[in-house]
Amino acid sequence: EAGVVQSPRYKIIEKKQPVAFWCNPISGHNTLYWYRQNLGQGPELLIRYENEEAVDDSQLPKDRFSAERLKGVDSTLKIQPAELGDSAVYLCASSFNGNTEAFFGQGTRLTVV
Amino acid sequence: QKEVEQNSGPLSVPEGAIASLNCTYSDRGSQSFFWYRQYSGKSPELIMSIYSNGDKEDGRFTAQLNKASQYVSLLIRDSQPSDSATYLCAVNKGGYQKVTFGTGTKLQVIP
């Protein structure tokens, strides 16, 4: 069974440019998470979806970040415009539901220069 | 007080010894607890989940949960150099609440 798939694996952009990340969760998983992880820190939740509904986006910087999960499957996370402080690893995870264990994709390492 | 606290380490143990990793959490209503292993430059990998008080064993790994004292621990028996990684504790309040991660404990197993 395929795991959570993310792309791209790495992205280097100049500040003020837009960037987008894509995630394909494990088949049958209704819950999808986007996390951001800075060096030496644990993952921090940005947004959680239950099917196509964003049920927790309290930590998402809405002035520059947006996300969508069309048809309750794939999801994209966008940053526009990117800032230097956005450099981090962006992790997508999925779980069967919001109470069960989550499985992570490989992550996207973003560097903003 | 942080929601989930872990000692950042590094915790160094000799090969073959038992490594003990601890995690405390602040919300008494927490119901689900997870341990993830994260190698440098890689994404977190689920090792164990535990939902009720007591011990849960899986191979060389044992998770221990004590809700009264609000801590969860991970024991790794017969530690191997390949166990060297950062171990993340994650806590879920349940009822479709968010999962909160600790900052992780770095484990070094010395050959």
Side-chain angles (χ1 to χ4, degrees), chain A residues 36-106:
Chain A
R36 177 171 60 188
Q37 187 174 26
N38 291 303
L39 192 64
Q41 300 296 314
E44 295 179 84
L45 181 69
L46 292 174
I47 190 168
R48 175 167 61 93
Y49 283 92
E50 296 293 339
N51 298 304
E52 65 274 10
E53 183 183 359
V55 296
D56 185 353
D57 62 356
S58 57
Q59 302 300 313
L60 189 73
K62 298 181 184 62
D63 56 336
R64 296 183 300 107
F65 287 64
S66 64
E68 61 181 7
R69 190 184 184 195
L70 298 176
K71 301 181 180 179
V73 182
D74 294 359
S75 178
T76 57
L77 177 69
K78 298 178 182 178
I79 308 175
Q80 181 172 12
E83 298 179 352
L84 296 176
D86 296 331
S87 295
V89 176
Y90 291 82
L91 294 162
C92 179
S94 71
S95 61
F96 179 71
N97 64 42
N99 287 324
T100 57
E101 50 269 277
F103 298 89
F104 285 84
Q106 314 98 307

Side-chain angles (χ1 to χ4, degrees), chain B residues 24-93:
Chain B
T24 58
Y25 58 94
S26 60
D27 192 324
R28 278 195 175 276
S30 299
Q31 298 183 17
S32 307
F33 307 85
F34 311 97
W35 282 101
Y36 288 83
R37 176 176 62 199
Q38 187 172 28
Y39 293 113
S40 180
K42 302 294 185 181
S43 61
E45 172 191 10
L46 180 71
I47 299 176
M48 296 277 290
S49 57
I50 186 166
Y51 301 93
S52 55
N53 277 330
D55 294 0
K56 179 181 179 181
E57 186 175 319
D58 184 0
R60 296 187 295 113
F61 299 96
T62 299
Q64 299 176 319
L65 175 60
N66 184 323
K67 290 186 177 180
S69 300
Q70 295 176 240
Y71 82 78
V72 57
S73 62
L74 179 69
L75 301 179
I76 307 175
R77 290 182 299 281
D78 188 24
S79 295
Q80 301 296 310
S82 60
D83 295 326
S84 298
T86 295
Y87 289 80
L88 296 162
C89 172
V91 176
N92 188 335
K93 285 165 52 173

